Amino acid sequence: MGTVHARSLDPLPMQGPELGVQADDMDLGEPEHEEKQEVLENKDVVVQHVHIDGLGRTKEDILTYEIADVFRAKSLIDVMKKSHEARQRLLRMGIFRHVEVVIDTAEGANALPNGLDVTFEVKELRRMTGSYNTMVGNNEGSMVLGLKLPNVFGRAEKLTFQFSYGTKETSYGLSFFKPQPGHFERNFSINLYKVTGQFPWSSLRETDRGVSTEFSFPIWRTNHTLKWEGVWRELGCLARTASFAVREESGQSLKSSLSHAMVIDTRNSTILPRKGALLKINQELAGYTGGDVSFLREDFEIQLNKTLFWDSVLSTSLWGGMLLPLGDKPSCIADRFYLGGPTSVRGFSMYSIGPQSEGDYLGGEAYWAGGLHLYTPLPFRPGRGGFGDLFRTHFFLNAGNLCNLNYGEGPRAHLSKLAECIRWSYGAGIVLRLGNIARLELNYCIPMGVQSGDRICDGVQFGAGIRFL
Amino acid sequence: MSLAAEAFVSQIAAAEPWPEKATLYQPLKEDQILLSDSASSLAVQTFLRMCGLPVQVSCCANAEYMSPSGKVPFIHVGNQVVSELGPIVQFIKAKGHSLSDGLDDVQRAEMKAYMELVNNMLLTAELYIQWCDDYTATEISRPRYSSPYSWPLNHILAYQKQWEVRRKMNAIGWSGKNLEQVYEDVSQCCQALSQRLGTQPYFFNKQPTELDALVFGHLFTILTTQLTNDELAEKVKSYTNLLSFCHHSKTSK
């Protein structure tokens, strides 16, 4: 929220009305003189100067792009609207703590009678901020220590260092982000990281040390990201009782891959959206820029939401992916897809669907998963308008399949392989929304189509995460 | 392994007969394997041959990482994975095959002592020559060890292994030695073995034991592996009864 103060244009000696305006509300408040309000609305104005006060290390050239639009305003209402938009743009660069706008009559030697001066009073963020958070990921919790240096060189570059100690993973990462001046959506970032993970469903331990650079840019209504990543992967057995198939995958490898991702997101919210759709397509090609592993991987995610009668939402989603190993080496367990668990096909244990060996799940090279959900407010709507709005009941139907394809055969054979032995489940539960990032679910699930080797979790299942089917 | 785990493994192992598809894993023979690993692997293969147990040899670039103890070779028998000669001998014994049953307690103690001598002297000397001698490390060990991997991982792994071995040499006090002293130690070890062997075909007269397998593995590999110079092989060759022992063991069975 911010306040826009506008002084009266008329130089009459009486006190001009002090008009305090809320950012979302363009109403001019209580005018003392009605004739003056009309005059203000219709009068043509010219914005002569736009000042930005309070700059320290920020370079001015990046800010001129954001505030350029204000100069094109023609009436007072226009000035207020455009300066509000400029304020939003200045805030989203992530370099100011707050921004206030002051609109005043132009002063100085060359001031026109209908000239205006707009001043943005800004307060920059501190040079370095530290943070301590706890995070909930996909069924794990962690403690995160962060160090952030916003606006390092004055053009909205950001340097972050993060250290995370969790129940399953320990990691650290260093990241440098730089947007293009004037086009904040076009940016690039460089990351350096080390991540360790333990995967008990496969009896596998993985340590990744890597470096990646990515470019993001919008094209029309889509957002694209191009990324190169180089990772040194160390795989090992989590326990002495790991199956021999997993033991054979232990060792060191180097993956160097180029990937491209396209996202179209018209939903109104990331968690529990009420309307809109999401389309995400991701492809990754590894092996042609060095490294030991060589594959082509595609995966996609579609989600559609529609509000129905009585505040309920119908949501459908479809996920799928395929991994094609190039060259003569078979695919690596760390590159394959996994399915099952409270965040994908509910009713099954975490990643416990598909090919397995002695109880260790090896993942598969192709998969698909679909979900149909009906979200409704809690029955009898307790806590309405407050805490109760964070909860939803949902009824779901999930289905999916994960398998290895024989790439010598044609697409018809692939489709029939993916269509046989479909696992599916249905049930109902309660969803709790955590901010705009995560959600918790408590469901009663009934798994069906269980194949031998799958591990199920029928009955009550709890899930926490950021990405749900 | 802890005592309880050992007992458990023996029970399970004893229950099953030796399968057809037992496999021994070692690093790649042509490009990757080094002298010390090759010696250990040959020792295990010889031991299994002496016991009359068939085993397939499988070469994998990641054999060292697959092994439960981090050392090669290891065998995959049924559901069990066992690495290094000592535990393998125990494992085979639990299955009912043993080469040292005919020995009395004194001889068994002697055999263990000589096996420790080979492990502490000969194996350590091999590791020293491979990784602590700069010339050998640069010309042979690092390129071979890192051959299956691509740049820059090959350099990282080779140097990591070299530092690990050098740290171990530090810990056991060998870092102060120079190459000449190490060759001297090898010579002394060979002398002790030569004296024990005498003119017998095997160390404990009639029957070969695990000691014979171990000594054959190391000596044969030293004699047939090309290093930067021939000094190590020369030290072994100077004991003729060891030479004939190798020749005899190679051609028998």
Side-chain angles (χ1 to χ4, degrees):
Chain A
M1 299 294 158
T3 44
V4 176
H5 301 276
R7 288 251 222 96
S8 144
L9 287 180
D10 199 315
L12 287 177
M14 69 175 86
Q15 301 285 73
E18 273 276 303
L19 304 167
V21 175
Q22 289 301 100
D24 297 317
D25 180 5
M26 280 305 161
D27 184 28
L28 279 175
E30 304 295 313
E32 286 174 6
H33 302 269
E34 270 199 35
E35 318 93 61
K36 293 246 171 50
Q37 181 180 355
E38 280 188 42
V39 163
L40 286 173
E41 271 180 0
N42 296 335
K43 191 150 183 179
D44 269 349
V45 299
V46 167
V47 177
Q48 289 198 275
H49 301 115
V50 177
H51 307 280
I52 304 188
D53 281 345
L55 292 182
R57 61 182 188 278
T58 315
K59 301 278 186 286
E60 283 184 14
D61 51 12
I62 56 159
L63 300 175
T64 47
Y65 295 100
E66 315 295 340
I67 58 174
D69 225 19
V70 179
F71 282 104
R72 292 192 213 108
K74 288 284 173 272
S75 74
L76 183 61
I77 300 296
D78 220 10
V79 169
M80 286 160 70
K81 202 154 52 140
K82 287 210 160 36
S83 42
H84 170 64
E85 282 166 10
R87 178 179 167 278
Q88 295 290 80
R89 281 209 293 272
L90 286 173
L91 280 175
R92 72 138 157 67
M93 293 208 297
I95 55 184
F96 298 125
R97 190 193 296 275
H98 52 78
V99 178
E100 282 194 10
V101 187
V102 176
I103 305 178
D104 199 356
T105 48
E107 288 171 26
N110 55 351
L112 297 173
N114 62 344
L116 288 183
D117 275 350
V118 180
T119 309
F120 291 92
E121 286 168 3
V122 304
K123 182 143 190 323
E124 286 177 346
L125 289 172
R126 277 202 302 249
R127 269 199 188 272
M128 181 157 76
T129 46
S131 65
Y132 173 79
N133 305 320
T134 43
M135 252 178 48
V136 175
N138 278 331
N139 260 333
E140 66 171 275
S142 54
M143 173 192 96
V144 182
L145 244 57
L147 212 62
K148 191 153 68 164
L149 279 75
N151 203 9
V152 183
F153 302 120
R155 291 196 173 80
E157 303 92 351
K158 191 161 69 170
L159 192 66
T160 21
F161 175 67
Q162 225 183 34
F163 176 72
S164 159
Y165 182 76
T167 51
K168 287 202 191 116
E169 269 195 24
T170 299
S171 60
Y172 46 83
L174 183 69
S175 157
F176 177 74
F177 166 85
K178 179 169 167 61
Q180 183 181 5
H183 303 271
F184 191 74
E185 285 78 23
R186 286 196 218 145
N187 50 63
F188 87 86
S189 64
I190 301 179
N191 307 301
L192 223 69
Y193 58 90
K194 173 186 177 236
V195 179
T196 46
Q198 296 187 351
F199 310 116
W201 46 83
S202 305
S203 297
L204 188 72
R205 184 194 301 126
E206 181 176 343
T207 304
D208 286 352
R209 296 172 182 84
V211 59
S212 74
T213 61
E214 53 185 271
F215 285 89
S216 284
F217 48 91
I219 295 181
W220 190 44
R221 287 208 260 161
T222 65
N223 209 336
H224 294 252
T225 308
L226 285 174
K227 179 160 102 160
W228 171 82
E229 188 177 23
V231 190
W232 166 19
R233 278 198 302 222
E234 229 179 280
L235 294 171
C237 296
L238 198 55
R240 216 178 177 289
T241 50
S243 67
F244 200 72
V246 171
R247 198 173 273 285
E248 279 181 324
E249 303 260 9
S250 314
Q252 319 264 7
S253 68
L254 189 66
K255 178 182 90 157
S256 164
S257 69
L258 290 167
S259 66
H260 167 254
M262 179 186 86
V263 177
I264 306 178
D265 193 350
T266 57
R267 302 174 300 177
N268 68 319
S269 153
T270 339
I271 303 285
L272 295 177
R274 305 183 68 79
K275 60 179 163 86
L278 168 72
L279 173 66
K280 240 195 240 184
I281 301 183
N282 190 17
Q283 44 254 2
E284 186 178 357
L285 177 67
Y288 287 86
T289 45
D292 298 321
V293 283
S294 196
F295 60 79
L296 174 65
R297 181 158 76 172
E298 297 271 346
D299 63 89
F300 70 89
E301 189 179 325
I302 300 175
Q303 192 188 79
L304 301 165
N305 303 287
K306 187 170 168 60
T307 310
L308 299 177
F309 52 87
W310 290 343
D311 215 8
S312 58
V313 178
L314 185 69
S315 172
T316 54
S317 52
L318 180 66
W319 293 356
M322 200 164 91
L323 175 72
L324 178 66
L326 304 169
D328 43 11
K329 275 205 261 188
S331 57
C332 176
I333 195 173
D335 295 320
R336 288 183 221 139
F337 298 104
Y338 293 83
L339 191 64
T343 57
S344 65
V345 181
R346 297 168 178 81
F348 291 81
S349 287
M350 191 79 186
Y351 292 149
S352 300
I353 288 179
Q356 54 100 19
S357 161
E358 296 170 42
D360 293 333
Y361 292 89
L362 307 173
E365 290 173 356
Y367 85 106
W368 66 270
L372 184 69
H373 295 256
L374 180 68
Y375 295 98
T376 63
L378 290 176
F380 308 115
R381 299 187 179 235
R384 185 178 187 165
F387 194 59
D389 280 346
L390 295 174
F391 287 87
R392 283 264 180 290
T393 40
H394 78 136
F395 304 91
F396 63 87
L397 175 67
N398 289 151
N401 193 8
L402 176 77
C403 59
N404 288 316
L405 297 178
N406 187 352
Y407 289 107
E409 304 164 358
R412 205 174 279 271
H414 296 334
L415 284 174
S416 66
K417 187 130 192 245
L418 284 168
E420 67 190 19
C421 312
I422 296 181
R423 285 88 162 163
W424 58 283
S425 68
Y426 61 94
I430 300 182
V431 178
L432 168 65
R433 170 207 190 108
L434 290 179
N436 206 25
I437 306 170
R439 79 190 216 194
L440 303 178
E441 281 190 10
L442 190 64
N443 299 315
Y444 186 85
C445 322
I446 299 156
M448 312 281 284
V450 181
Q451 303 296 317
S452 71
D454 296 342
R455 207 177 294 147
I456 61 169
C457 179
D458 62 348
V460 177
Q461 190 179 37
F462 175 74
I466 49 183
R467 184 176 171 254
F468 282 79
L469 178 65
Chain B
M1 276 205 287
S2 70
L3 282 178
E6 261 187 57
F8 182 68
V9 167
S10 320
Q11 283 242 329
I12 302 284
E16 298 164 2
W18 189 261
E20 296 271 315
K21 275 186 22 164
T23 323
L24 178 136
Y25 289 86
Q26 64 169 37
L28 302 172
K29 203 180 329 194
E30 287 301 311
D31 304 309
Q32 189 192 19
I33 198 168
L34 293 175
L35 175 63
S36 47
D37 293 334
S38 189
S40 309
S41 177
L42 185 59
V44 171
Q45 286 176 52
T46 312
F47 176 72
L48 291 173
R49 184 164 45 92
M50 286 172 177
C51 292
L53 301 169
V55 74
Q56 281 174 321
V57 175
S58 174
C59 296
C60 297
N62 58 338
E64 195 182 1
Y65 302 105
M66 280 165 72
S67 160
S69 70
K71 299 219 169 58
V72 291
F74 68 92
I75 55 173
H76 180 218
V77 175
N79 267 349
Q80 305 280 319
V81 179
V82 194
S83 64
E84 294 180 81
L85 184 65
I88 289 176
V89 169
Q90 294 281 82
F91 179 73
I92 304 285
K93 195 162 163 184
K95 283 213 182 285
H97 307 269
S98 177
L99 292 181
S100 51
D101 274 344
L103 302 178
D104 61 31
D105 287 336
V106 173
Q107 285 178 314
R108 196 165 292 147
E110 223 187 315
M111 180 187 75
K112 286 206 166 69
Y114 275 100
M115 282 178 76
E116 282 303 307
L117 175 71
V118 172
N119 278 332
N120 287 345
M121 278 289 202
L122 213 47
L123 182 61
T124 316
E126 285 166 5
L127 284 173
Y128 183 95
I129 293 169
Q130 277 167 197
W131 294 105
C132 297
D133 173 33
D134 284 324
Y135 187 58
T136 315
T138 315
E139 293 295 313
I140 297 178
S141 311
R142 284 202 306 264
R144 281 186 71 93
Y145 184 77
S146 60
S147 58
Y149 304 103
S150 53
W151 185 91
L153 191 58
N154 51 3
H155 293 307
I156 298 175
L157 292 178
Y159 279 102
Q160 214 178 39
K161 179 77 180 173
Q162 185 171 326
W163 291 334
E164 191 189 311
V165 174
R166 287 195 181 180
R167 264 205 312 271
K168 184 177 166 205
M169 292 293 146
N170 255 342
I172 58 174
W174 274 56
S175 52
K177 297 195 182 187
N178 64 14
L179 210 51
E180 284 312 311
Q181 287 174 322
V182 172
Y183 286 137
E184 252 324 291
D185 286 338
V186 171
S187 205
Q188 283 180 0
C189 180
C190 290
Q191 189 179 33
L193 290 171
S194 180
Q195 277 179 347
R196 181 67 187 82
L197 184 61
T199 49
Q200 303 164 23
Y202 301 111
F203 278 90
F204 290 97
N205 210 5
K206 308 295 183 11
Q207 291 300 321
T209 57
E210 43 264 33
L211 176 62
D212 298 278
L214 183 63
V215 172
F216 171 70
H218 280 272
L219 295 184
F220 186 77
T221 315
I222 290 175
L223 290 171
T224 53
T225 304
Q226 185 77 345
L227 288 178
T228 50
N229 59 22
D230 289 329
E231 251 195 85
L232 194 59
E234 290 302 316
K235 296 283 177 205
V236 174
K237 279 188 195 156
S238 60
Y239 297 94
T240 45
N241 62 347
L242 291 178
L243 264 184
S244 56
F245 166 75
C246 286
H247 188 71
H248 173 72
S249 298
K250 181 170 181 289
T251 52
S252 73
K253 291 201 187 171

